[in-house]
Amino acid sequence: MKHWHKAITLAAAAALSTAAAYAQEPQRGGVIDVATIGEPPTLDPMASTADLVGIVSQNIFETLFTFGTDWKVVPLLAEAMPEISDEGRVYTIKLRQGVTFHDGSAMDSADVLASLQRWQKVASRGQQAAANIASIEAPDAQTIRITLKEPYAPLLSLLAFNNSAAVVLPSENMAVPMEKPVGTGPYMLKERKPDQYIQLARFDAYKGREDASDFYGGARHQYLDEIRFVPVPDPNTRVEGAVAGQFAYADSIPVESVGRLTGDKTEAVTLKPFGWPVFVMNTKEGLLSDVAKRRAVLTALNPEDLLIAGFGTSDFYAVDGSLYPEGYAWNNKEGVEAYGQGDPEKAATALSEAGYDGTTPLRILTSRQYEFHYKMAEVAAEYLKLAGFQVKLDVVDWATLTQRRQDPKAWDIFISHSPFLPEPSLIGVMQDTSPGWWVSEAKTAALKAFNAESDPAKRAELFGAVQKVFYDEVPAFKVGDFNAVAAKSPKLQGVTPAPWPYFWNAYLAK
């Protein structure tokens, strides 16, 4: 996946041009304010797939594995990569010793076992893994053994991911919902004032890895004393705060504001390509439980007009129906002829043939905290009205959206976005239990063949069949590819451009 690595390298090089004046040995100390798009609905990383939850919680909690450069799975709380036996069915995982939780207790296999059992019940990705797991055991205090029903290639990526995450918690802290956010991470929760800030402080007893820092993997240095995540729902307020030097880092900056991110107080951080905006459809209940009506939505929408509305210039987007762009092993063209038609008249005919009554509202759930979501929703609504749909826009804050999308009676489309994930099985719609609830025999068969194969070249070929089912059954509409922009103080060093920005290894220059 060289495309991603190149993008990170370019973005990091751009940041270095301003950073040269501050170059020095990292120093300890200091507090930073990080502006986020809103208040996370929870700090339980198992219970949510929201990126916002992952951005905050990854500093508090840790997983057995994580992702290194080029999205290679690397050990984190595991001592090393697992020993895999029985033709890919048994994973034996040795745990690092001397790791302690924020409450002072020592981590051992009993904590990991209880955590993985909770993950299988609470997390959508844990439920996805559970369908393939025969048993999880702790044969001794430093060992976990996972036995699969059959070989399942995505297992390590699922265990490494930072939302809907298989984080390790103290075995006595298994309550649902989570009562106390206690993890093993480099920072611990100090104070949370809803809608004001989430304050994290250095965990002095943290035992990190001793190998070199490697993207999310390797050593996690605790240079900063505290990190404060400040919810700033209005994107223009995030920009103004960054320009004024109020925030050391501001996430999700509207692309039209990039020109303002200059000077001695702020600079742009660009990740190219970042990911894809997506219109997730409710396949379980309501208007779009009918695949013919979902196909009409796909036929009606003009992706370029939506992308222009969201990002303004093709410097920040690409019209592309493939689920992964060129440069990724998973890139293919299967099914994409259905993408990009932008033909409301053809959609209207299909909608009439599907028996649409012309009065039932098509409810689009969106938020203005990601301004490009809202702008795309407005343009999509006009195309869908031309196709004959009665359209209702429900505009709510992001935390409400992440809760409301759990209710299949509350919406027909919700608008979100995703980075290009290292393992396709991590994509939300690939999970039967993810909001949208896409369940089909064709999907199950295509994913089963894809996930049972371990050879990377063969998996890449098999992903074409998965993408074809995606376009046949339209559980979602991929709008295109886009680049993400954040703002960073030139004094904040050691920040690697990443889809979920992390602040271990970050420090303040003098």
Side-chain angles (χ1 to χ4, degrees):
M1 301 193 184
K2 297 174 183 175
H3 202 149
W4 181 282
H5 180 61
K6 180 181 177 184
I8 287 177
T9 304
L10 289 173
L16 284 173
S17 64
T18 313
Y22 300 101
Q24 59 182 267
E25 283 296 310
Q27 59 178 4
R28 283 169 69 92
V31 177
I32 64 168
D33 282 352
V34 176
T36 64
I37 62 100
E39 180 77 13
T42 177
L43 289 181
D44 182 350
M46 290 191 193
S48 178
T49 59
D51 289 344
L52 179 56
V53 174
I55 288 169
V56 177
S57 66
Q58 66 186 348
N59 297 279
I60 304 171
F61 303 98
E62 294 180 315
T63 45
L64 291 172
F65 304 96
T66 188
F67 294 107
T69 304
D70 286 343
W71 293 107
K72 180 181 179 181
V73 175
V74 296
L76 184 55
L77 289 175
E79 184 177 76
M81 295 302 289
E83 176 189 317
I84 303 174
S85 58
D86 190 17
E87 299 181 327
R89 289 179 177 83
V90 177
Y91 287 63
T92 301
I93 302 166
K94 291 292 183 181
L95 305 178
R96 288 171 49 216
Q97 299 187 36
V99 175
T100 59
F101 290 105
H102 299 156
D103 64 4
S105 61
M107 182 197 79
D108 64 17
S109 62
D111 302 301
V112 178
L113 177 61
S115 298
L116 292 178
Q117 290 169 340
R118 184 182 190 270
W119 178 64
Q120 289 180 92
K121 296 174 185 174
V122 172
S124 60
R125 291 190 175 92
Q127 293 164 7
Q128 179 185 0
N132 300 279
I133 292 173
S135 65
I136 305 179
E137 305 163 279
D140 61 53
Q142 299 301 326
T143 308
I144 286 289
R145 182 183 300 128
I146 301 175
T147 303
L148 301 175
K149 298 173 183 176
E150 56 190 6
Y152 184 62
L155 178 64
L156 291 180
S157 290
L158 287 166
L159 290 173
F161 208 51
N162 78 347
N163 63 47
S164 192
V167 294
V168 177
L169 311 171
S171 57
E172 62 274 10
N173 193 20
M174 294 292 122
V176 181
M178 179 181 284
E179 292 175 350
K180 289 184 281 187
V182 174
T184 60
Y187 290 86
M188 57 192 290
L189 182 66
K190 181 177 179 180
E191 185 178 19
R192 181 179 188 180
K193 288 196 172 182
D195 299 318
Q196 293 185 50
Y197 58 79
I198 296 170
Q199 188 172 14
L200 307 185
R202 181 191 295 115
F203 174 42
D204 288 328
Y206 178 65
K207 181 171 182 180
R209 298 192 65 85
E210 295 180 359
D211 36 339
S213 299
D214 177 20
F215 202 29
Y216 291 96
R220 294 183 167 185
H221 300 291
Q222 307 162 280
Y223 299 125
L224 297 167
D225 291 337
E226 294 186 358
I227 306 164
R228 295 203 322 167
F229 292 94
V230 182
V232 185
D234 182 77
N236 294 320
T237 307
R238 291 198 294 279
V239 173
E240 296 303 327
V243 170
Q246 179 182 355
F247 305 124
Y249 192 96
D251 198 25
S252 191
I253 296 297
V255 295
E256 63 267 22
S257 301
V258 169
R260 300 193 59 204
L261 303 180
T262 58
D264 60 354
K265 291 185 177 178
T266 191
E267 62 190 19
V269 179
T270 303
L271 197 56
K272 176 183 180 179
F274 172 82
W276 45 303
V278 59
F279 287 31
V280 179
M281 304 197 206
N282 184 347
T283 70
K284 185 176 184 177
E285 291 189 29
L287 196 58
L288 298 186
S289 60
D290 177 359
V291 67
K293 296 184 179 72
R294 299 199 298 273
R295 288 175 183 151
V297 171
L298 174 62
T299 300
L301 294 176
N302 182 316
E304 182 150 28
D305 281 357
L306 271 65
L307 291 163
I308 289 171
F311 303 103
T313 164
S314 57
D315 291 344
F316 292 98
Y317 73 79
V319 180
D320 181 11
S322 299
L323 294 182
Y324 283 84
E326 291 185 8
Y328 282 80
W330 315 116
N331 175 256
N332 72 87
K333 301 301 179 188
E334 289 292 328
V336 296
E337 62 275 4
Y339 166 87
Q341 295 183 47
D343 192 340
E345 290 185 10
K346 182 179 176 183
T349 300
L351 196 55
S352 176
E353 291 173 353
Y356 177 56
D357 60 15
T359 60
T360 302
L362 176 67
R363 300 160 298 169
I364 300 178
L365 185 60
T366 190
S367 170
R368 295 200 74 153
Q369 282 157 273
Y370 293 108
E371 186 71 5
F372 69 96
H373 290 190
Y374 176 72
K375 290 178 177 178
M376 290 190 300
E378 287 189 308
V379 175
E382 296 308 311
Y383 271 95
L384 294 169
K385 288 173 186 174
L386 289 173
F389 283 104
Q390 294 291 327
V391 180
K392 181 176 184 290
L393 277 186
D394 289 331
V395 184
V396 298
D397 64 85
W398 185 246
T400 300
L401 186 148
T402 62
Q403 292 167 342
R404 193 174 294 178
R405 70 185 178 186
Q406 304 290 336
D407 179 1
K409 300 184 184 304
W411 58 276
D412 299 299
I413 291 173
F414 78 82
I415 298 179
S416 187
H417 67 269
S418 172
F420 293 114
L421 301 173
E423 162 60 54
S425 293
L426 294 171
I427 296 171
V429 295
M430 299 302 172
Q431 299 147 47
D432 291 356
T433 57
S434 185
W437 305 282
W438 177 36
V439 180
S440 83
E441 291 181 5
K443 167 194 169 181
T444 299
L447 277 176
K448 184 175 181 180
F450 172 67
N451 290 334
E453 179 57 61
S454 59
D455 180 83
K458 291 178 181 176
R459 291 195 81 215
E461 185 176 338
L462 286 166
F463 186 63
V466 176
Q467 184 172 288
K468 186 176 187 306
V469 178
F470 176 89
Y471 272 104
D472 285 346
E473 301 191 355
V474 203
F477 167 60
K478 180 198 173 183
V479 186
D481 305 339
F482 80 105
N483 309 333
V485 179
K488 181 183 79 67
S489 166
K491 292 185 178 181
L492 181 64
Q493 297 296 293
V495 176
T496 300
W500 305 278
Y502 55 91
F503 301 98
W504 58 84
N505 299 340
Y507 63 96
L508 290 168
K510 289 181 181 176

